[in-house]
Amino acid sequence: MRVLVVDDDFMVARIHGRFVEQTDGFEVVGTARTGAEALEQAAVLDPDLVLLDVHLPDLSGLEVLERLRRQSREQGRDIAVIMVTAERGAAAVRAALHGGALQYLVKPFEYDDLADRLRRVAATLATLPGATGGREEEVDQATIDRAFGAGARAVVPQALPKGLSPETADLVLEAARAAGEISASETADAVGLSRVTARRYLEHFVDIGTAEVRLRYGGTGRPERRYRIAT
């Protein structure tokens, strides 16, 4: 499947693109950083699937979703959409569901989370036959049930320990990605947290496999814990 990745953060877009390329049967055909770019590239590149963020600098991803649906109907083609976003608001989730998104995946996530949803979307589309001879083939209830079961829409928030917020978690992840390798003290300075709080976020990412930790030994005292985002 040909995939268009839409995210205003080029580093995040690159990571998501790498995840796509790791998954058999999927390839990245383009990336976009704004809603306008997404619509333009969708028209030119004709992707099968769009990974779409909600928060874009010009248009809401939900508006882009609506326009993609309209654009697809006008041009007689289908584009599947997976919302890939840090937005957890119920209103946004409802809008995505009503707008036709097949999946909704909450950042931050691991490779397996995205790969699973990519495969579900592929399974859904493979279940339903296309038009033949200009006529849409009818399907029975069992086929319909398989299609909806394979592509069951789901919100998958990554559970955070009590006292940690998803917004701050995103900031900690961004700081760690930008630094390549970072300590709790450096994270605290970059994000504006206490060292203890910064370490709680970093250790949580280690626990769920999003980050790795190594010990750096100095002169005296305890070794320093250094964190990096897992690849």
Side-chain angles (χ1 to χ4, degrees):
M1 294 187 71
R2 294 160 50 82
V3 181
L4 172 63
V5 178
V6 183
D7 198 294
D8 66 332
D9 186 322
F10 77 95
M11 286 295 293
V12 172
R14 188 166 67 180
I15 291 169
H16 293 174
R18 188 164 70 241
F19 284 174
V20 170
E21 294 286 354
Q22 286 179 236
T23 309
D24 289 342
F26 296 86
E27 64 171 332
V28 175
V29 296
T31 59
R33 297 183 65 180
T34 68
E37 286 181 6
L39 294 168
E40 180 180 353
Q41 291 201 39
V44 172
L45 298 174
D46 192 22
D48 303 303
L49 172 64
V50 177
L51 301 187
L52 181 58
D53 195 2
V54 169
H55 299 294
L56 298 172
D58 54 346
L59 303 172
S60 163
L62 297 170
E63 183 175 350
V64 174
L65 172 63
E66 181 181 346
R67 293 192 188 186
L68 281 174
R69 285 281 161 262
R70 191 184 316 131
Q71 186 172 293
S72 297
R73 288 193 299 269
E74 292 171 352
Q75 298 179 3
R77 60 192 178 90
D78 295 321
I79 299 179
V81 175
I82 298 177
M83 304 304 297
V84 179
T85 178
E87 176 58 61
R88 297 165 180 255
V93 176
R94 283 194 298 270
L97 289 171
H98 292 306
L102 290 181
Q103 295 285 331
Y104 194 114
L105 182 59
V106 177
K107 303 175 187 175
F109 53 82
E110 300 178 62
Y111 163 72
D112 288 341
D113 296 316
L114 179 59
D116 175 64
R117 278 141 191 87
L118 291 172
R119 295 182 185 115
R120 288 191 196 184
V121 168
T124 298
L125 300 181
T127 299
L128 298 174
T132 56
R135 296 178 55 189
E136 280 290 343
E137 182 178 337
E138 293 187 350
V139 295
D140 58 19
Q141 185 64 54
T143 300
I144 295 170
D145 290 343
R146 285 196 299 274
F148 276 84
R153 299 174 179 126
V155 179
V156 186
Q158 298 293 325
L160 289 167
K162 186 176 180 180
L164 304 188
S165 75
E167 294 80 12
T168 304
D170 286 344
L171 293 175
V172 170
L173 275 177
E174 290 172 8
R177 287 194 184 104
E181 186 176 274
I182 200 167
S183 68
S185 295
E186 292 164 350
T187 304
D189 291 339
V191 181
L193 302 172
S194 70
R195 187 189 64 80
V196 173
T197 300
R199 180 166 177 171
R200 285 190 64 201
Y201 281 98
L202 292 166
E203 290 293 337
H204 169 68
F205 293 137
V206 172
D207 290 342
I208 65 174
T210 301
E212 301 168 344
V213 63
R214 75 174 182 89
L215 300 181
R216 185 170 73 180
Y217 292 87
T220 58
R222 294 181 179 181
E224 181 183 45
R225 295 176 70 82
R226 307 286 298 178
Y227 303 85
R228 62 178 299 156
I229 302 305
T231 57

